[in-house]
Amino acid sequence: MEIDQKKIFLAAELLRKGEVVAFPTETVYGLGARLSDARAIQKIYALKGRPADNPMIVHVAKKEEILSLAEDIPRDFFLLMEQFFPGPLTVVLKKKRGVSEQVSSGLPTIALRMPSHPIARALIESLGEPVPATSANLSGRPSPTIREHVLEDFGDKLPLVLDGGPCMVGIESTVISLVHKAPTLLRPGSISLDELEKVLGKKVEIAGKQEAPMSPGMKYRHYAPKAKVILFDEKEELMAHVQKKLLKRMILSTSLSVPGLLSRALSFHSLYHALREADQKEVEEILVLCDPMVKRNLALMNRLTLASL
Ligand code: TXA
Ligand code: MG
């Protein structure tokens, strides 16, 4: 990918001045600030309308930066880092004392990720400091996978939105916590439970079965378009619903396309794009066919379920 060094330099300069900028990552676009700037981090919360008790992921470019942010790092972390960094994985570790309270909403832990996207990496390297960032959408809306989505939510409120074209992965990183007795999956993503278990050589627990959500972010409404999202197990059920009432609808599925109805492919890559397109087209209902393949996909089911609440 061609990188516009001038733009990267400008973005780093804006971050140094306490501004917030948006940039592409391989998962979704992020809205970032400078780690040492508590006021700028606060600005992200305000811009997004994000609840203050929902911590942020700190993005790093180098392995050494991780050592300066976390402590009591278990062996499991190094196994994961070896295999998946840089890439769409976030790991929650014990936070080192003295590291920003703001990013972790007062928790004793810190979520760390090393993105693989060349623009994200260039920005963090140019700044020379880790970048706390969150998905660049208004709180509750689908995450942005192209620059235009970021502009849709923030208009001219951001001084700069770096352009990297469409994000390769299309859904947010897998989040795993290593601060519990067993490694625990907090948010499913494109790196699957199986892959994590294979690399760690042990079972990974799935969060959410307990009463209190371990990842504060998972208790809020998420990924939601304005249209109502309805999930169906069977094609027949979905078709019967279509007959009921005349509404503007979109069908999301891996295979089904109905003549005369707006149909979009269901995949990590296309999901958020389709949800936002539905809003632009003033679709009233999004009907999702959850076939067995979709049902086996933890990450996709997680986003669809949250979008349908
Ligand atoms: O792919 C991604 O992860 C994107 C790109 C921009 O890197 N970022 C992203 O950030 O999705 P956000 O803020 O939308 O989601 C971060 C998730 C939330 O569910 C939050 O609660 C969780 O990570 N999280 C952050 N710090 C945590 C911590 N210390 N302990 C547990 N969960 C944490
Ligand atoms: Mg988000």
Side-chain angles (χ1 to χ4, degrees):
M1 176 184 289
E2 189 77 39
I3 295 186
D4 185 343
Q5 285 298 345
K6 267 198 216 137
K7 279 264 168 67
I8 300 283
F9 187 76
L10 173 65
E13 207 40 44
L14 285 165
L15 291 176
R16 270 184 214 106
K17 285 187 184 141
E19 295 284 350
V20 166
V21 301
F23 57 94
T25 82
E26 70 277 21
T27 56
V28 300
Y29 276 71
L31 195 56
R34 187 181 171 193
L35 180 65
S36 58
D37 192 337
R39 273 186 56 195
I41 297 171
Q42 205 54 52
K43 229 189 241 180
I44 297 184
Y45 281 91
L47 273 164
K48 273 193 76 154
R50 184 182 179 91
D53 67 348
N54 193 1
M56 258 188 261
I57 297 171
V58 177
H59 296 65
V60 300
K62 296 195 216 95
K63 292 178 180 168
E64 303 85 75
E65 287 171 318
I66 293 166
L67 304 178
S68 70
L69 297 168
E71 61 186 17
D72 295 345
I73 303 176
R75 182 172 164 269
D76 285 352
F77 174 76
F78 296 97
L79 295 174
L80 293 174
M81 178 165 81
E82 190 65 33
Q83 187 69 28
F84 300 114
F85 279 16
L89 180 72
T90 296
V91 186
V92 175
L93 294 171
K94 199 170 153 197
K95 193 175 76 165
K96 229 181 202 167
R97 216 183 293 182
V99 176
S100 161
E101 285 294 310
Q102 218 91 29
V103 281
S104 50
S105 307
L107 291 176
T109 54
I110 186 162
L112 295 163
R113 157 159 145 72
M114 188 187 289
S116 63
H117 196 291
I119 295 181
R121 296 180 65 77
L123 175 60
I124 303 166
E125 273 168 19
S126 171
L127 178 68
E129 199 182 314
V131 172
T134 169
S135 53
N137 51 276
L138 290 174
S139 209
R141 296 265 300 145
S143 296
T145 57
I146 50 173
R147 180 174 187 267
E148 288 70 24
H149 292 163
V150 182
L151 298 175
E152 209 171 84
D153 281 10
F154 297 103
D156 55 7
K157 287 199 188 117
L158 302 175
L160 182 64
V161 182
L162 291 172
D163 193 3
C167 299
M168 288 275 285
V169 178
I171 62 162
E172 307 82 354
S173 61
T174 302
V175 182
I176 186 172
S177 171
L178 298 181
V179 300
H180 306 281
K181 241 195 236 137
T184 307
L185 183 71
L186 301 185
R187 181 174 70 185
S190 64
I191 293 177
S192 70
L193 192 68
D194 280 357
E195 287 177 273
L196 294 171
E197 289 185 333
K198 210 163 150 200
V199 168
L200 293 173
K202 59 172 122 171
K203 199 169 158 24
V204 172
E205 302 292 330
I206 301 177
K209 292 176 180 159
Q210 299 82 355
E211 287 205 346
M214 281 206 244
S215 197
M218 298 316 270
K219 68 176 187 247
Y220 295 108
R221 182 156 195 252
H222 258 89
Y223 321 119
K226 291 179 197 111
K228 190 169 174 202
V229 178
I230 310 175
L231 310 186
F232 294 89
D233 293 329
E234 308 283 345
K235 181 178 159 189
E236 291 70 29
E237 235 184 307
L238 187 152
M239 291 311 292
H241 181 89
V242 170
Q243 308 303 327
K244 271 190 199 158
K245 201 172 155 192
L246 205 60
L247 284 180
K248 184 138 196 213
R249 297 191 171 96
M250 174 187 271
I251 293 183
L252 267 183
S253 104
T254 56
S255 54
L256 180 68
S257 123
V258 183
L261 275 182
L262 186 63
S263 301
R264 290 292 177 261
L266 179 54
S267 69
F268 289 158
H269 195 69
S270 57
L271 176 66
Y272 292 144
H273 204 281
L275 296 182
R276 282 181 179 261
E277 184 191 356
D279 278 355
Q280 281 159 5
K281 300 204 159 124
E282 300 187 331
V283 165
E284 292 160 284
E285 280 184 353
I286 302 172
L287 311 182
V288 189
L289 182 58
C290 301
D291 61 34
M293 199 170 76
V294 172
K295 282 222 186 80
R296 276 194 299 274
N297 190 324
L298 268 189
L300 212 45
M301 281 313 289
N302 166 267
R303 306 306 190 277
L304 289 170
T305 307
L306 286 165
S308 71
L309 291 178

